[in-house]
Amino acid sequence: NLDLTALDSDISISEAKRQEAFDTSAKIKVLLIKAKRSLEQQQVNDTGSEAGADNGGGNDGGDCNLELEALIAKSLPSEKQSVRVANLSFQFQEYARLKSYQYFLSTGNLLPPSKLPPTISDEEYLAGSVMGLTEDLSRYVIGRATARDVSSVKIAKSLVEKCLKYLMKFDFRNGMLRRRYDGVKYQLKTCETVLYELSVTGLNVHGTNEIGTNSGKNENRDNDMDMDCEPQSKRVKTEPNGDASIADAIIPERELDELHARIEHRDDLREKLIKRCRDAQKAAKQAIFALHRPDYKRASRLIADCERIVKNDLNPIVEEDPSLHYGSYANVLEEYAEAKLFQVWLVGKDGDNGDENGN
């Protein structure tokens, strides 16, 4: 008799972990919303004091931010590219997006991957800290345009432009990253439109503006009056030793190039996996057909071929990049399991009974 007690126990444990992950994801989502609201509220309340200029909108959340950081640290897996349970990956993306926006408000630059927890995956960084940030920046420029803050608008537009230029290096396939990437060009269009509309109102958007000062100097007197009334935290800041005469943003090119190389390597692994998965799945399918004929010796040979491909070719790739477990690799295992179970049901374990017809 077939005893499935152990399998049932494993499935129950897996389901319990999955439900726990969903509960944790819901908690992270609530904390992220609170942190974003806290950041927005600080931008409204900040009157340009030293506290507001120093923290860049990151400390007024207080206990909320501390709780969020602790929960993220607890929820992150031990390996960078391990399989995420439930929808935790989306919350990690949103966390990376929040940190990137806070970093932009403090420095005017793109958050380097090294500033995030080390097990945030490369894909989560791209989706949150790069693509997600451009969505925040497209809304940010609209708010700064109402205050006629040309310098901040130009910095945000520059960063969105550089993000798009960097993302164009990738060959995104159909999926989450591709969909979010398609939206980045529309965020850039929003920034360009806002900058054009500011120029129509009489502001010089092509000249050299001074940024990062308390007075918020611009090209005309009306703009000076608007900027004097604006909270400092709403205006983007620059690095202390940066060139304040250039309305430009900086991206961490070295770290981003390394990230690009890692993703390209995983794309190569994925292509190899898919090709070998076709061979393994074909062998398993043909083994099932052979068992139906019945051609038990050929079926045993084909099942052995499938096992060899899985052990020698597929398993090492999945061990290197666990995120490839689902999809083609999982389909191969399902097909192999079907062939193996059918073989055992027909002729006994490993086909020991052979084919009475001599096939």
Side-chain angles (χ1 to χ4, degrees):
N1 294 330
L2 182 62
D3 185 4
L4 298 178
T5 305
L7 178 61
D8 180 64
S9 176
D10 291 342
I11 293 176
S12 298
I13 293 173
S14 177
E15 284 298 319
K17 290 181 178 180
R18 186 169 178 270
Q19 185 57 49
E20 182 182 359
F22 274 119
D23 295 339
T24 301
S25 177
K27 294 178 182 178
I28 294 175
K29 181 179 180 180
V30 171
L31 291 173
L32 283 169
I33 293 174
K34 289 182 179 179
K36 290 175 183 177
R37 287 179 178 174
S38 175
L39 178 60
E40 293 169 357
Q41 190 61 42
Q42 182 183 358
Q43 289 181 304
V44 172
N45 295 337
D46 197 333
T47 58
S49 64
E50 289 185 1
D54 288 343
N55 61 31
N59 290 333
D60 276 359
D63 294 340
C64 173
N65 281 284
L66 291 176
E67 188 178 355
L68 174 62
E69 294 290 344
L71 192 55
I72 288 291
K74 180 182 177 181
S75 305
L76 280 169
S78 58
E79 297 181 8
K80 189 179 185 71
Q81 294 300 130
S82 61
V83 177
R84 281 15 180 180
V85 182
N87 60 343
L88 280 174
S89 181
F90 178 75
Q91 304 306 337
F92 296 154
Q93 294 171 26
E94 290 300 301
Y95 168 75
R97 175 177 175 175
L98 173 65
K99 299 297 288 186
S100 189
Y101 187 49
Q102 290 174 336
Y103 189 83
F104 167 78
L105 292 176
S106 295
T107 67
N109 301 324
L110 179 65
L111 178 73
S114 59
K115 297 286 186 180
L116 290 171
T119 51
I120 291 285
S121 72
D122 295 333
E123 289 77 9
E124 288 161 353
Y125 173 82
L126 284 179
S129 291
V130 181
M131 300 178 190
L133 174 66
T134 63
E135 298 176 25
D136 293 327
L137 294 183
S138 68
R139 289 191 291 269
Y140 172 82
V141 298
I142 295 173
R144 299 314 305 143
T146 59
R148 301 171 69 80
D149 181 3
V150 176
S151 296
S152 293
V153 172
K154 290 173 70 176
I155 291 176
K157 182 254 184 184
S158 171
L159 184 53
V160 174
E161 197 169 35
K162 289 187 175 182
C163 286
L164 179 59
K165 183 178 179 181
Y166 169 69
L167 292 171
M168 289 176 67
K169 297 179 181 179
F170 292 87
D171 181 19
F172 293 117
R173 294 166 178 80
N174 290 335
M176 178 271 298
L177 286 178
R178 177 70 197 189
R179 290 191 296 271
R180 300 200 72 165
Y181 163 73
D182 288 339
V184 175
K185 56 180 173 286
Y186 297 110
Q187 315 308 335
L188 178 59
K189 181 65 175 178
T190 298
C191 296
E192 292 173 340
T193 301
V194 169
L195 204 57
Y196 168 75
E197 290 174 349
L198 284 174
S199 70
V200 171
T201 65
L203 292 182
N204 182 2
V205 299
H206 302 293
T208 300
N209 297 325
E210 184 176 353
I211 61 176
T213 63
N214 290 330
S215 62
K217 294 180 181 178
N218 276 289
E219 298 302 322
N220 56 44
R221 183 174 301 175
D222 291 339
N223 197 38
D224 284 339
M225 296 176 62
D226 290 338
M227 293 296 292
D228 285 338
C229 299
E230 280 293 309
Q232 181 71 20
S233 67
K234 284 190 176 183
R235 282 174 269 159
V236 66
K237 306 171 184 63
T238 58
E239 296 288 359
N241 56 355
D243 187 352
S245 66
I246 301 176
D248 200 8
I250 300 174
I251 63 173
E253 294 185 3
R254 181 184 61 81
E255 290 191 40
L256 292 182
D257 287 342
E258 292 174 354
L259 184 147
H260 177 255
R262 290 195 298 270
I263 290 185
E264 287 290 299
H265 174 65
R266 287 199 295 275
D267 283 344
D268 291 340
L269 290 178
R270 180 176 176 270
E271 291 299 323
K272 293 177 182 177
L273 182 85
I274 291 175
K275 290 178 181 178
R276 295 304 285 155
C277 279
R278 293 194 189 105
D279 297 333
Q281 194 163 16
K282 179 180 178 181
K285 285 180 177 293
Q286 290 181 345
I288 295 172
F289 297 153
L291 289 169
H292 277 289
R293 284 188 180 93
D295 189 349
Y296 298 148
K297 288 184 178 180
R298 182 168 183 267
S300 296
R301 185 174 66 254
L302 289 168
I303 290 175
D305 289 343
C306 181
E307 290 176 348
R308 176 180 52 78
I309 295 174
V310 170
K311 291 179 180 178
N312 297 338
D313 300 335
L314 302 184
N315 285 349
I317 295 177
V318 175
E319 288 174 2
E320 182 175 351
D321 185 4
S323 64
L324 294 174
H325 185 279
Y326 296 105
S328 298
Y329 178 74
N331 292 338
V332 168
L333 297 184
E334 291 176 10
E335 201 72 30
Y336 165 74
E338 180 182 349
K340 193 70 175 177
L341 287 171
F342 191 35
Q343 180 193 43
V344 172
W345 183 77
L346 282 176
V347 297
K349 185 177 180 181
D350 297 327
D352 289 339
N353 292 341
D355 182 9
E356 295 179 358
N357 295 327
N359 294 326

